[in-house]
Amino acid sequence: PWKKTSSTTMFVPKDTGVKDLATRAGLEEMHALFAKFSQLETVVNGKNYTIYDLCDRGMLPDLPSEVLPPLGSPVMPCSVVTPFMCFREGGDINHPSYRDLDVMLGENLSMAIPSAIPYSTRPSFRELTDEQIKAELSTLRQESRAGLPPGLARGCFGWNSAATIFANYWGGRPVWEGDNLRSMGAFRFLVYLDGPARIAYRMSVMKPNHTDQGDIFQAATQMSAKWHELAMEHGERSSLVEVVDLEDFEKFTWPKAEAEKSTIRWSVLVVGAILMNVFMALALSSYSHPQASRIGIGGGGLWL
């Protein structure tokens, strides 16, 4: 009940002639899907669950203003891995309570939330050239990693200074020139949902009626499926990127595969049998030399 789950959403160019998605146009195409993450919600047994209820964002309970004046505790950022963490737009999926605090305090955000690094002061990819975008994505965030390969040393800060997400985690098919990124041929998002037990504890103060772990797991299953559907639809509509989303294998994909495997599709089975018999009859029968036909042997073999 404590185990987290994750979805991996991958982006590659639709046009095989395009080798670089680390551009303003490429990021804009991916951001159109990224922004929808914060809108995810689902209903189980009459109870509404939002992505902020289910995502991985720590285990401490959310507190109302009566317990933690004057505003209560902000809803902390969800754990995600994306190239947008290098940019202001990385904060677009944060809960409004956190975004408001981020904008209000700016560089002083760490005074309210220890080690927090504001998104509001990071550069917007929409205001950068393609070269500036690559420079931001290949920035060294920790001096102690300066001697490592760039994919393990260059990248983005998470919401706090303790979390640095290196390029190898959110990028693929990179071309480096020394420590400078020259192109990135693929990107990926990692989206994490928390374990039901931790979610239940976190909601125990603000949403005590939402703490049934069975309901929470069902909500997480539905939420993962909704994100998967959004990702695949985005890939179909996008003019620039192909999108593939892999749901958590153990918790979501494997149970679905087991359910499908245990369901017999009789219509397919019957049509397949008919076609097989028709093919056998055409291949083994001989109308000009009936005695040479092997249709009886073929039919017997099929039914055995």
Side-chain angles (χ1 to χ4, degrees), residues 124-179:
S124 168
F125 75 82
R126 294 185 173 108
E127 299 172 359
L128 302 178
T129 65
D130 291 350
E131 289 304 312
Q132 290 171 325
I133 286 172
K134 293 176 176 60
E136 192 65 31
L137 292 171
S138 55
T139 297
L140 180 68
R141 309 291 175 178
Q142 298 179 7
E143 290 295 333
S144 61
R145 303 182 72 88
L148 295 175
L152 296 174
R154 311 277 163 161
C156 313
F157 277 128
W159 67 266
N160 65 66
S161 58
T164 304
I165 313 301
F166 304 110
N168 279 4
Y169 291 103
W170 43 254
R173 302 177 187 170
V175 175
W176 296 94
E177 189 175 287
D179 290 328

Side-chain angles (χ1 to χ4, degrees), residues 54-184:
L54 304 179
C55 74
D56 173 29
R57 56 178 181 87
M59 69 176 296
L60 294 179
D62 298 322
L63 300 175
S65 57
E66 294 82 9
V67 178
L68 186 65
L71 301 175
S73 60
V75 175
M76 298 301 289
C78 297
S79 294
V80 296
V81 172
T82 82
F84 292 113
M85 301 172 84
C86 281
F87 306 101
R88 188 182 308 157
E89 289 79 8
D92 289 350
I93 65 167
N94 290 339
H95 190 271
S97 64
Y98 190 92
R99 290 204 309 267
D100 292 345
L101 195 63
D102 187 326
V103 172
M104 181 173 64
L105 296 181
E107 293 291 355
N108 297 316
L109 182 61
S110 60
M111 296 174 61
I113 303 174
S115 78
I117 300 176
Y119 281 99
S120 59
T121 60
R122 303 183 195 194
S124 168
F125 75 82
R126 294 185 173 108
E127 299 172 359
L128 302 178
T129 65
D130 291 350
E131 289 304 312
Q132 290 171 325
I133 286 172
K134 293 176 176 60
E136 192 65 31
L137 292 171
S138 55
T139 297
L140 180 68
R141 309 291 175 178
Q142 298 179 7
E143 290 295 333
S144 61
R145 303 182 72 88
L148 295 175
L152 296 174
R154 311 277 163 161
C156 313
F157 277 128
W159 67 266
N160 65 66
S161 58
T164 304
I165 313 301
F166 304 110
N168 279 4
Y169 291 103
W170 43 254
R173 302 177 187 170
V175 175
W176 296 94
E177 189 175 287
D179 290 328
N180 300 310
L181 182 66
R182 288 296 172 239
S183 70
M184 187 68 78

